[in-house]
Amino acid sequence: MIRKFQGGMFDEDWFASLSPHYKGMWFYLWHRVGDEGVWNVNLSIAWAIVGEKGEVNIENVIKRFNVGSVRMVSFAGGTKLLNLEFIRVHYGIRLNLDRSRVARKLYVILKAHGVEDKIPGLSFEGDAVKTYRDWETDRKSTRLNSSHLKLSR
């Protein structure tokens, strides 16, 4: 997936006020999250990348990045971090479960930890009752059933 970059953040006060270590952490997290915007927290690697072992921790990251707006949310007992800004830039804040594979994957991850409806500023539309496997089965059967269609020039 090609990662869009949010260049406007350089003009925002919350970003300008970050120390170089936290700016490095922002870029690291932007590139390390999965397509669904979730990072499996590994602080030892993050510390090696940003060069600050003690000060850069999940609580401080969330506190500094969430000035004025919620951009990061920790869940699963602090073992996972959701980059909401990444989601907003790439997919918007209303994720359609029927049309987006990424939305389905994110929904399944959040649901597994009981936080699918507790993330501020994020909403899901569509059939939330289906499991991820149901969506994949539907997608494959739709593709098989539509394979008989021919494009004409």
Side-chain angles (χ1 to χ4, degrees):
M1 173 184 161
I2 296 175
R3 306 277 169 128
K4 295 179 187 174
F5 188 71
Q6 178 205 9
M9 71 184 173
F10 295 113
D11 299 327
E12 296 178 20
D13 291 337
W14 74 271
F15 188 79
S17 68
L18 293 175
S19 71
H21 294 297
Y22 279 97
K23 288 177 182 167
M25 187 67 163
W26 177 262
F27 292 116
Y28 174 74
L29 290 176
W30 191 267
H31 294 285
R32 292 304 304 156
V33 297
D35 290 344
E36 71 286 347
V38 175
W39 178 55
N40 294 318
V41 175
N42 185 338
L43 286 176
S44 60
I45 297 294
W47 288 330
I49 299 295
V50 300
E52 183 65 32
K53 187 169 185 172
E55 180 191 347
V56 179
N57 59 48
I58 293 302
E59 295 80 24
N60 285 339
V61 164
I62 291 171
K63 183 175 120 186
R64 293 208 165 97
F65 289 170
N66 287 350
V67 172
S69 176
V70 178
R71 294 179 185 87
M72 297 278 177
V73 176
S74 175
F75 66 99
T79 62
K80 295 188 182 295
L81 193 68
L82 176 63
N83 187 331
L84 281 171
E85 196 66 25
F86 181 88
I87 298 295
R88 286 184 196 120
V89 168
H90 287 87
Y91 312 111
I93 58 171
R94 296 173 57 111
L95 302 175
N96 190 305
L97 296 170
D98 294 325
R99 287 191 242 151
S100 171
R101 186 176 190 171
V102 172
R104 292 189 294 270
K105 187 173 180 183
L106 176 59
Y107 182 82
V108 168
I109 291 169
L110 296 176
K111 186 172 177 69
H113 297 285
V115 296
E116 73 277 8
D117 56 351
K118 296 177 178 69
I119 306 294
L122 185 67
S123 66
F124 293 95
E125 301 171 340
D127 191 354
V129 176
K130 289 183 177 181
T131 65
Y132 188 71
R133 182 169 284 136
D134 292 337
W135 277 308
E136 287 302 297
T137 302
D138 289 351
R139 182 182 66 84
K140 288 176 183 172
S141 67
T142 302
R143 187 173 39 185
L144 291 174
N145 291 337
S146 63
S147 63
H148 67 280
L149 298 175
K150 302 268 189 216
L151 294 176
S152 61
R153 291 186 179 223

